[in-house]
């Protein structure tokens, strides 16, 4: 009498016990790369604690972490705002808004990030400052705006330090990429959602705010997380403006001590610690968004 | 007060390669149930969507309660709040519960307090037979239940007119009745309704007039009595012969 159901199958195909897999296969399945990375990390921490050359390099370079994080977080926050506004502009039915947004996105995405940073720092910011300056001079002649005018006219290019210009440059560059993330996320939501919201009398912005964006955010969050990690790495480019981030302090330590190995091992280690933690966070987020509501 | 709550005058609408509406003129009286039927691609959805300007017209004029919808300067948000719309695929907001689906526009458009909106929502859920589904998300509801929530969501705005675009076409047969029953109740209470549907039983029971729309043209208008027993146009006869046994 043939049995049916799972038992019958179990008779034919013996269930695989973990112990029955050949040990070579088990070894091959281990995440060796992670293990090696961890060992290297432990070795480096050990070196920093016990080897004076490494200790010295670490203490000189570590303050750069603060600058790297400060620049990345503030530039990314601004890039998110720019991205949302420009992303909405890219799907706007207003041809002027659409064309300005698309111009920005296409131009910025066609330029290497390091060139954007240099361009913003040495061209755009000075232009902006001189515009504010001349506007202030003009306003001074208007009686009730004289004070505002004087304050604006007092603005000088040396008032905008390189840290601020670095943040502006990265935000300007990343805004274009985030705009595309927002646009794609919004467009992934079915057209019927907007129509249902509008037919209830909601305005376009109400529909965006309460109906479209809360749904799009699930699509948008993982790529935003990845872009933040990319920003952490690209923030090293601001060392061209002599901002004392991790990379710049690495360069300075190298020329100060001539200990190339110790310097760049430490810098690499610090970047990797941040980016690996970050990508673990993004993976966790992705899994949560997939399984959650 | 205008006797005709909706007036459609000489409306033309063209998409890239198709003429969706050709010189359509229709009027809907206050409290009337107008039933629109016709072959696929005949322009039924397009006509309905022009009434609350989900589509713009190329030519002609539409007024709703005296307000010209086709005027680009009309306050379209205010007008849409007065015109409820029910879609074939429900279009419930999936990130909100049934209750929140019904309260959102009440709060944001009608500016009702959260408590008042929730009270109205619960009353309407009760009315469409779903009092226990207030906290359910759309994905936890059957098609028929989703459509009834969608009707409640539209009714919560206290619309003067309800537009239905094939509200039962995406439903399994056993769920069609529960949605039609809600619509029938609404018709009996005197709601002005424009219904695009293939449910001839509903037309017979509730429609005041029927409109046969084919190839973007109004072919024939008449009472259900006239349309079912003595249609004047050959095209109407042929279509009815196809859909009725
Ligand atoms: N957004 C659009 N772009 C291009 N063509 C469209 C668009 N919407 C509708 N059409 C075309 O206009 C015509 C009328 O479409 P409509 O959806 O109004 O027909 P319908 O009577 O509602 O048909 P169905 O019973 O299939 O829903 C069709 O030929 C359709 O392909
Ligand atoms: Mg249709």
């Amino acid at each position: 009498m043939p049995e049916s159901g799972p038992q019958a199958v179990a008779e034919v195909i013996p269930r695989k016990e973990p112990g029955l897999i050949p040990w070579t296969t088990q070894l091959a399945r281990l995440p060796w790369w992670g293990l090696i990375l961890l060992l290297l990390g432990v070795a480096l921490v050990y070196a920093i604690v016990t080897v004076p050359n490494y200790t010295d390099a670490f203490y000189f370079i570590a303050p750069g972490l603060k600058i790297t994080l400060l620049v990345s977080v503030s530039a990314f926050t601004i890039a998110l705002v720019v991205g949302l506004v420009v992303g909405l502009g890219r799907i706007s039915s207003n041809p002027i808004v659409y064309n300005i947004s698309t111009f920005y996105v296409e131009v910025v995405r066609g330029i290497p990030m390091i060139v954007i940073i240099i361009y913003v720092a040495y061209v755009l910011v000075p232009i902006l400052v001189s515009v504010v300056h001349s506007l202030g001079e003009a306003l001074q002649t208007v009686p009730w705006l004289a004070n505002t005018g004087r304050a604006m006219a007092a603005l000088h290019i040396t008032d905008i330090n390189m840290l601020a210009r670095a943040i502006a440059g990265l935000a300007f560059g990343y805004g274009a990429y985030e705009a595309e993330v927002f646009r794609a996320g919004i467009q992934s939501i079915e057209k019927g959602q907007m129509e249902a919201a509008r037919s209830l009398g909601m305005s376009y912005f109400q529909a965006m705010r309460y109906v479209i964006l809360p749904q799009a955010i699930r699509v948008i969050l993982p790529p935003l997380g990845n872009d933040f990690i990319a920003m952490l790495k690209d923030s090293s480019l601001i060392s061209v403006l002599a901002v004392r981030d991790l990379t710049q302090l690495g360069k300075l330590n190298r020329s100060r001590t001539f200990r190339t190995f110790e310097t760049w091992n430490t810098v690499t280690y610090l970047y990797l610690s941040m980016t690996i933690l970050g990508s673990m966070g993004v993976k966790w987020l992705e899994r949560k968004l997939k399984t959650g509501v | 007060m205008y006797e005709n709550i909706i007036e459609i005058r000489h409306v033309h609408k063209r998409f890239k390669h198709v003429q969706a509406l050709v010189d359509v003129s229709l009027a809907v009286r206050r409290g009337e149930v107008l039933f629109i039927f016709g072959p696929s691609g005949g322009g039924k959805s397009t006509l309905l969507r022009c009434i609350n300007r989900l589509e713009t017209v190329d030519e002609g004029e539409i007024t709703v309660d005296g307000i010209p919808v086709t005027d680009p300067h009309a306050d379209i948000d205010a007008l849409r709040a007065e015109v409820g719309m029910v879609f074939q695929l429900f279009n419930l907001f999936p990130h909100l519960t049934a209750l929140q689906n019904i309260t959102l526009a009440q709060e944001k458009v009608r500016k009702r307090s959260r408590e008042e909106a929730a009270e109205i929502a619960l009353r309407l859920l009760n009315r469409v037979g779903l009092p226990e589904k207030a906290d359910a998300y759309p994905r936890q509801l059957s098609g028929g239940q989703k459509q009834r929530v969608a009707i409640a969501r539209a009714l919560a705005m206290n619309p003067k007119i309800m537009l239905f675009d094939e509200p039962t076409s995406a439903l399994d047969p056993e769920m069609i009745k529960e949605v039609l029953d809600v619509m029938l109740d609404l018709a009996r209470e005197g709601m002005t309704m424009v219904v695009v549907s293939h449910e001839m039983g509903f037309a017979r029971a509730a429609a005041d007039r029927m409109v046969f729309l084919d190839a973007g043209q109004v072919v024939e208008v008449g009472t259900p009595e006239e349309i079912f027993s003595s249609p004047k146009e050959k095209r109407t006869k042929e279509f009815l012969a196809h859909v009725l046994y």
Side-chain angles (χ1 to χ4, degrees), chain B residues 165-210:
Chain B
D165 191 359
E166 304 202 30
T168 58
S169 295
L171 298 180
D172 290 336
E174 70 269 23
M175 292 170 187
I176 292 179
K177 189 176 170 331
E178 64 190 45
V179 171
L180 290 181
D181 281 345
V182 170
M183 291 169 59
L184 215 57
D185 273 350
L186 211 55
R188 288 208 191 95
E189 283 167 27
M191 174 66 79
T192 307
M193 295 163 68
V194 182
V195 181
V196 170
S197 175
H198 301 294
E199 296 295 332
M200 293 303 166
F202 177 82
R204 217 185 282 270
D208 294 301
R209 284 186 302 155
M210 297 174 72

Side-chain angles (χ1 to χ4, degrees), chain A residues 190-193 195-204 206 210-212 214-215 293, chain B residues 49 52 77 80-81 83 85 87 91-95 104-105 108-109 111 139 153 157:
Chain A
E190 237 185 292
K191 212 169 108 250
Q193 292 289 310
E195 291 185 348
R198 295 307 303 277
S199 69
L200 287 165
M202 282 191 235
S203 69
Y204 177 80
Q206 283 178 325
Y210 299 110
V211 176
I212 308 298
Q215 296 181 58
V293 179
Chain B
R49 292 160 58 83
N52 68 353
D77 292 339
R80 282 176 177 149
V83 182
M85 180 132 186
F87 301 87
N91 295 350
L92 288 183
F93 307 136
H95 60 302
L104 179 64
K108 303 306 171 196
V109 179
K111 308 291 180 203
R139 72 195 137 78
R153 176 175 71 178
M157 304 302 287

